[in-house]
Structure formats: structure tokens, C-alpha cells
């Protein structure tokens, strides 16, 4: 039996995330275009690029934006290797970076646009991650992020936590999203503003998706609430 890497398995099942990323980018593309027209040598960095598909299929092929350089970063060495093996070209490359670490160094320079899709809900220390993104942006740069604040599986685990208190710490440590902060929007805005960002757009998008078959998803439907932020530094 062939043993697949985590990145190979992820690549087989992440088409939906690519679809969602394209739809959210299209909502704010006009601002990206304004930025692209006002800067020379536009550089974009993506936080948590995974297998690299979103950068290639969304930013370089389908959204009409042009960049001099696009860099994808991810904490996973396996993901970055897969991305470099499959998607590198003269404008796109990938590097290992833990954006939530206390020291990200200064190897990347600064960027006109930073993006992050379906990643920030995994960070225990979102303030540190946001601070580091701010360091990577040029003055006037754009930070566009989109991440999950609630979804059906989280609700299932949340019910387990209520019933079995002993499971609360291991589950919320593994999936910070399960803490389900009722004041999340305002609290996360404070995190952004503390780092020096001006929030231009913030909204919660409700998404229902029917996977049609059990082979594509165990269960009939996927319900998701995603936070959609556009931040100007």
C-alpha cells in the first residue's frame, strides 16, 4: 500500500477551501487592484499556504492581479516541500515560517499585501501572529484574512466538552476554535488594532455546503461561519 504524506492527502481534499478563498478574494479585489496600481514591484506573502494551491489557482490564475513576487509560507515542512515540488515558478515560491513564533527573523523583507485563508483559527496566540504579520508589511500595506469562527464539527465537540469536562482542556488546546468566544469579533478587532492595523472591513459570512456524497464528507452538510477581515496598515 502506498503511504501518502499529509500534504498529499490534504491536496486531495482542499478544493473547497480554494473555492472559498477565490470567492472571498473577489469581494475585495478592487482594493487589491488599487494597491497594485499604486505600488511598484508588488510583493504578496501568504500565511499558512498549505499545499500552495490557493496561491497558484487564485492569485496567479483567476483573480486578475499581477505581482512581481508571491511567497507562500507554512509551518509544515511537508506542506512547503509539496508546494515547492508542484507549484514553483518564476514569481511563486514557498518557505517554512511559523508566523506565531516569538522571532520570525528578517529574511523575507516587506510586502505590499499579506493574506491568510483558513489558518488563524488554529493559533493559540493570535496577537503574536498578527504582530508578526504587521512587521512583514510595508506602510500602507493590506492584510486580508479569512478564517473560521464556528462550524458544525466544532459544535459537536463543544457538546462533548459540556458533557465531559475532562475533555475540555485537551480539545480546546488542540482546536482553539472550540472556545467559542461570544465576543469574538470585538476581541479580535482589538488584537488587530493593538498591532497598529486599521480595520476597513469585518464581517461574518454564513456558508452552507452540501457535499452530496458520504465519500466527500461524512454527513450531509457542512455549515460554517467565517470571519472576513480586511485590514489596512
Amino acid at each position: 500500500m502506498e503511504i501518502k504524506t499529509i500534504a498529499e492527502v490534504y491536496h486531495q481534499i482542499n478544493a473547497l477551501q480554494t473555492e472559498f478563498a477565490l470567492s472571498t478574494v473577489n469581494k475585495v479585489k478592487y482594493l487589491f487592484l488599487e494597491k497594485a496600481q499604486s505600488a511598484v514591484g508588488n510583493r504578496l506573502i501568504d500565511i499558512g499556504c498549505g499545499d500552495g494551491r490557493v496561491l497558484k489557482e487564485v492569485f496567479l490564475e483567476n483573480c486578475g492581479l499581477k505581482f512581481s513576487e508571491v511567497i507562500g509560507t507554512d509551518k509544515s515542512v511537508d506542506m512547503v516541500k509539496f508546494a515547492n515540488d508542484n507549484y514553483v515558478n518564476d514569481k511563486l515560491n514557498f518557505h517554512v515560517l511559523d508566523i506565531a513564533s516569538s522571532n520570525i527573523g528578517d529574511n523575507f523583507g516587506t510586502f505590499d499585501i499579506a493574506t491568510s485563508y483558513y489558518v488563524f483559527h488554529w493559533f493559540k496566540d493570535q496577537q503574536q501572529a498578527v504582530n508578526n504579520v504587521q512587521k512583514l508589511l510595508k506602510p500602507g500595506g493590506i492584510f486580508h484574512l479569512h478564517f473560521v469562527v464556528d462550524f458544525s464539527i466544532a459544535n459537536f465537540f463543544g457538546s462533548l466538552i459540556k458533557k465531559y469536562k475532562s475533555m475540555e482542556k485537551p480539545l480546546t488546546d488542540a482546536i482553539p476554535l472550540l472556545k467559542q468566544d461570544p465576543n469574538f469579533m470585538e476581541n479580535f478587532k482589538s488584537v488587530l488594532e493593538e498591532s497598529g492595523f486599521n480595520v476597513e472591513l469585518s464581517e461574518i459570512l454564513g456558508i452552507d455546503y452540501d457535499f452530496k456524497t458520504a465519500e466527500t464528507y461524512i454527513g450531509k452538510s457542512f455549515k460554517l461561519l467565517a470571519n472576513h477581515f480586511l485590514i489596512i496598515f
Side-chain angles (χ1 to χ4, degrees):
M1 177 185 293
E2 180 185 2
I3 298 177
K4 296 182 180 294
T5 67
I6 293 174
E8 289 172 333
V9 173
Y10 177 79
H11 180 71
Q12 292 178 332
I13 63 174
N14 78 336
L16 183 61
Q17 288 177 296
T18 303
E19 178 184 330
F20 287 167
L22 179 59
S23 68
T24 57
V25 168
N26 281 335
K27 287 175 66 70
V28 296
K29 185 168 63 175
Y30 69 97
L31 288 169
F32 285 175
L33 287 169
E34 289 177 6
K35 183 65 181 175
Q37 292 169 357
S38 64
V40 177
N42 291 285
R43 302 182 74 221
L44 179 146
I45 186 168
D46 184 62
I47 309 302
C49 65
D51 66 346
R53 174 183 282 178
V54 167
L55 287 179
K56 176 70 162 48
E57 296 186 5
V58 174
F59 281 97
L60 296 185
E61 294 181 353
N62 287 304
C63 70
L65 300 172
K66 294 184 179 179
F67 298 95
S68 62
E69 183 179 19
V70 175
I71 292 179
T73 66
D74 202 283
K75 181 180 179 179
S76 168
V77 175
D78 184 40
M79 291 290 190
V80 170
K81 182 181 184 305
F82 183 96
N84 277 319
D85 288 345
N86 290 277
Y87 292 119
V88 164
N89 59 38
D90 60 336
K91 291 186 177 181
L92 175 62
N93 57 88
F94 302 89
H95 301 272
V96 175
L97 173 67
D98 180 2
I99 196 66
S101 66
S102 59
N103 182 10
I104 61 170
D106 55 2
N107 297 326
F108 297 101
T110 54
F111 297 83
D112 302 281
I113 297 174
T115 58
S116 182
Y117 303 107
Y118 300 99
V119 175
F120 260 70
H121 50 269
W122 294 112
F123 295 145
K124 296 178 184 177
D125 190 347
Q126 292 179 327
Q127 185 71 67
Q128 181 66 62
V130 168
N131 290 347
N132 286 334
V133 172
Q134 193 248 38
K135 293 175 184 176
L136 291 168
L137 281 172
K138 299 175 184 178
I142 292 174
F143 180 26
H144 182 228
L145 72 157
H146 189 80
F147 62 98
V148 178
V149 294
D150 188 20
F151 67 115
S152 53
I153 298 175
N155 292 335
F156 167 73
F157 282 115
S159 65
L160 285 181
I161 288 173
K162 291 179 181 178
K163 187 172 183 180
Y164 304 103
K165 286 296 184 181
S166 62
M167 297 178 68
E168 181 171 2
K169 188 177 189 310
L171 281 174
T172 54
D173 282 351
I175 312 175
L177 172 64
L178 296 179
K179 293 176 183 176
Q180 297 181 314
D181 180 0
N183 299 313
F184 179 82
M185 284 288 281
E186 288 304 315
N187 290 340
F188 193 74
K189 281 185 182 179
S190 297
V191 168
L192 295 166
E193 290 166 354
E194 186 172 328
S195 290
F197 286 110
N198 298 314
V199 179
E200 295 289 322
L201 169 70
S202 65
E203 60 183 339
I204 293 181
L205 306 175
I207 300 170
D208 287 335
Y209 192 87
D210 188 348
F211 283 83
K212 307 299 183 185
T213 68
E215 284 73 22
T216 54
Y217 187 78
I218 300 174
K220 292 184 178 180
S221 66
F222 175 88
K223 295 183 182 295
L224 174 146
L225 289 176
N227 245 22
H228 182 60
F229 280 95
L230 178 72
I231 301 97
I232 310 296
F233 167 54

